[in-house]
Amino acid sequence: MATLNMVQAIRATLEREMERDERIILLGQDIGRNGGMFRATDGLQERFGEARVVDMPLAEGVIVGSAVGLACSGLRPIPELQFLGFGSQAFHQIEGQVARMRFRSQSRYPMPIVIRAPFGGNVRTPELHSDAHEAKYANSPGLKVVTPASAHDAKGLLTEAIRGEDPVLFCEPLRGYRLIKDAVPDEDYTLPFGRLRIARPGSDVTLVAWSAAVVVAEQAAELAEQEGISCQVVDLRTLVPLDVEGLAKAVSATGRAVVVHEAPLTAGFGAEVVATIVEHAFSALSAPVLRVTAPDAPYPFSSLERAYLPSAERSLGAIRRVMGAA
Amino acid sequence: MSILTTSTGGPTPVRILAPDGSVPDGYRPPLPDSELLAAYRLMLMSRRVDERAFNLQRQGRLGVFSPVNGQEASVIGSAFALDPTRDWVVPQYRELPAMLRQGYTLERFLLYCMGDPEGNRMPDGVNLLPIQISLAAQIPHAVGLAWGLRHQGRDSVVCVYFGDGASSEGDFHEACNLAGVRRAPVIFFLQNNRWAISTPVSKQTGADSFATRATGYGFPGELVDGNDFFAVHEATLLAVARARAGEGPTLIESRTYRMGPHNTADDPTRYVDPEELEAYRALDPVARVRSFLLEAELLSEELEHRMRAEIEEELAAAVAAAEARGAGRPEQIFDHVYADPPPRLLDQRDAITGEAQ
């Protein structure tokens, strides 16, 4: 058992899986000699060679599109999008090709592809680097969307993604790469998709979050605790598949829920979470379900991002409201 | 000079087989006689499928269908340069004869046109990707496939089909660029049939040839008369040899003409100049091969008659088999979406298939 930050856990998992399965091949920009923009592939090209850790031309569409063909040839590609915001330039290949090829070919061509992508804000990047685009991928049938919030989960969920037969968008929280650190077992393990994690127990309000927003929810729970409000924090871990049962159960236990996410409000994945809560736990609710999100404005330039992103303070406001205190 | 070589100006396409079926003195086709006849038979089959599928569509027995009419030499001449046991075809949707050559079946194709997903399931062991509707999206797949096969030590070549319209998509550029970098064993087979539905090639590019684009990617480009079976075939053979030898990709511009509509929903009389169409009819790729084969005494009226009768039988059997399958079942919506489907999707399946019963 070692304490690792998230990027270390991801790097170690890639290394372990590449040792185990020689069909795995990594593709991306600056992932080879440079070891990745955030060092997620540090030293892997040295270890496994240029044929398996491939520096690609600057073109997201063909990084993902060629992964489809590599998978058709029997390999198991792991393409990296340097930032999920640039995934829009590969969206037609992800939504129209990766996600549908199994259906289109009636399982002749499964797509065991894991698309890794850092996302989310608060690290003062230039425009378009910080967007939380998970909802549009969650609305792309055939794809799974995985959003770990701890180093431990990043290892278990990435191992599960790599060993599975379905295509996965693996969203890695940019600001958590180094900030999030926790105990990671040395041995191999997988975490099943579609099982949420109770990140913090509590009895008054359920805060639902994923990825870096789990940290925000935990901070909000701390603040609420000082006011005598006990918050449970739920980390969804995977958006597709969604743990419908676990979510209904967690919310039913408190009767109040607040969803916290980094993406803009309208048609964000929070809308799916709220609808699911209403469908499956309506009778247990004693207050409307609220959302704490980014506003429906483009992700701003970096001096404005603290005001833009959901914060512990804004989340506390929502907690007070569902408690009828404000 | 024919309209094929003069209408856009610029480089002259390579031609071997003249519109009257003659070839240069001493030219010997690189195919054995049996293969030449097989290619001609496939051309006849393709024409007959075009007619029959159109009628079936008009009778409401088939969905949307895109005929090959006019592009037979282009599709079949290239496909016959591949070895179906090791080489791959990555199709768009107007390359049925190339798919049949690889081992796809007419019955499956009809199923596909009837809207049954099973029709797009390529048989095991057949080196073929499924039909692609999102134009140009298949081109990066072909590069990845070629690269992946080479990575695993195989000597396969991948031939990807697309058109003048699809060449305007970013995927074409990204794929060619990557193939050049990786020297992937892939043939970019661009069928310039002059039309992207109603948009003429003059509105697709400001250049006088697509083949010259290859230079910018660091590999050779060839321009051939796409209505000339031999010119297409020879150019593809060269590209296969190059790819097999590890010398990387080739772009082939096969300059042909779509003599039919874009598909069963299209009315080309709204935009095609009838005189232009007539001019191309005089360059019919199937008639050219027929004249050559008759002249060479490889084909007789009697043999052709027999071929047509066989084709009729095969086609009738395929239509009967496809129609016998009946309409799709609602379960098929869900059957191949995931290897490990989310529970939510299984609930949706139960709800929809329950209602259907």
Side-chain angles (χ1 to χ4, degrees), chain A residues 115-157:
Chain A
I115 303 169
R116 294 183 37 252
F119 84 122
N122 220 10
V123 288
R124 303 183 65 84
T125 53
E127 199 190 355
L128 292 161
H129 288 65
S130 305
D131 295 62
H133 281 164
E134 65 273 27
K136 65 182 175 191
Y137 295 97
N139 200 219
S140 303
L143 193 65
K144 292 179 174 174
V145 180
V146 177
T147 51
S150 72
H152 170 274
D153 285 7
K155 177 172 175 175
L157 293 169

Side-chain angles (χ1 to χ4, degrees), chain B:
Chain B
M1 257 206 184
S2 81
I3 194 165
L4 267 173
T5 51
T6 57
S7 62
T8 62
T12 307
V14 172
R15 173 180 284 173
I16 296 169
L17 182 61
D20 66 1
S22 63
V23 292
D25 283 345
Y27 177 75
R28 288 181 55 84
L31 287 164
D33 295 348
S34 60
E35 284 283 273
L36 276 177
L37 287 172
Y40 180 64
R41 186 181 188 282
L42 194 50
M43 287 179 148
L44 294 180
M45 166 71 88
S46 181
R47 280 274 157 101
R48 185 62 191 121
V49 172
D50 281 355
E51 292 169 357
R52 185 87 179 97
F54 239 85
N55 291 337
L56 290 170
Q57 193 275 339
R58 294 297 188 248
Q59 293 165 28
R61 293 158 71 185
L62 208 66
V64 174
F65 168 79
S66 290
V68 183
N69 195 351
Q71 299 176 220
E72 293 86 352
S74 183
V75 175
I76 298 168
S78 52
F80 268 67
L82 304 172
D83 170 2
T85 65
R86 58 177 163 164
D87 297 331
W88 287 70
V89 164
V90 177
Q92 193 171 272
Y93 52 72
R94 204 190 295 283
E95 296 85 24
L96 174 65
M99 297 174 72
L100 293 173
R101 167 76 174 171
Q102 289 295 105
Y104 187 54
T105 64
L106 265 181
E107 181 190 340
R108 275 186 193 275
F109 182 69
L110 291 165
L111 279 177
Y112 178 79
C113 297
M114 289 171 182
D116 187 333
E118 188 60 27
N120 215 12
R121 210 290 180 189
M122 299 304 137
D124 287 330
V126 171
N127 295 337
L128 194 54
L129 292 199
I131 292 167
Q132 175 67 253
I133 299 300
S134 184
L135 294 184
Q138 77 278 16
I139 311 176
H141 305 173
V143 176
L145 177 61
W147 162 18
L149 292 166
R150 179 57 54 101
H151 177 92
Q152 294 167 88
R154 282 174 243 163
D155 67 350
S156 306
V157 174
V158 176
C159 183
V160 56
Y161 290 89
F162 56 100
D164 45 309
S167 78
S168 296
E169 292 275 8
D171 272 342
F172 166 77
H173 163 67
E174 292 190 20
C176 286
N177 185 52
L178 176 66
V181 170
R182 303 216 61 86
R183 306 196 72 71
V186 59
I187 300 165
F188 297 103
F189 196 85
L190 189 163
Q191 296 195 77
N192 175 1
N193 72 5
R194 308 308 181 95
W195 295 105
I197 308 187
S198 70
T199 308
V201 69
S202 60
K203 293 200 167 70
Q204 215 63 248
T205 177
D208 55 23
S209 154
F210 291 99
T212 52
R213 289 189 189 179
T215 310
Y217 300 113
F219 52 79
E222 312 287 348
L223 173 61
V224 296
D225 175 353
N227 285 17
D228 172 346
F229 178 86
F230 293 137
V232 170
H233 186 70
E234 298 271 8
T236 316
L237 279 178
L238 258 178
V240 168
R242 202 179 273 148
R244 194 100 68 209
E247 291 165 29
T250 304
L251 170 63
I252 298 174
E253 176 185 353
S254 173
R255 199 169 283 177
T256 176
Y257 195 82
R258 195 194 76 203
M259 295 205 299
H262 163 64
N263 64 22
T264 42
D266 178 38
D267 174 13
T269 63
R270 295 172 64 89
Y271 57 85
V272 172
D273 173 359
E275 281 180 28
E276 181 183 283
L277 184 59
E278 275 319 299
Y280 277 99
R281 283 199 197 286
L283 302 171
D284 187 307
V286 182
R288 279 195 204 178
V289 173
R290 182 171 191 271
S291 302
F292 172 85
L293 292 174
L294 286 171
E295 179 67 24
E297 295 182 352
L298 292 172
L299 183 70
S300 62
E301 301 273 351
E302 190 213 333
L303 177 56
E304 186 176 54
H305 186 77
R306 219 162 50 227
M307 280 181 180
R308 287 185 189 278
E310 281 171 18
I311 286 168
E312 215 54 46
E313 265 178 47
E314 270 177 58
L315 189 50
V319 171
E323 290 193 325
R325 233 182 99 88
R329 298 163 293 108
E331 291 81 20
Q332 287 178 281
I333 296 169
F334 305 92
D335 281 348
H336 298 280
V337 181
Y338 293 95
D340 177 21
R344 191 171 233 209
L345 185 63
L346 298 177
D347 292 344
Q348 293 160 16
R349 182 191 65 190
D350 293 346
I352 286 180
T353 57
E355 271 170 25
Q357 277 159 15

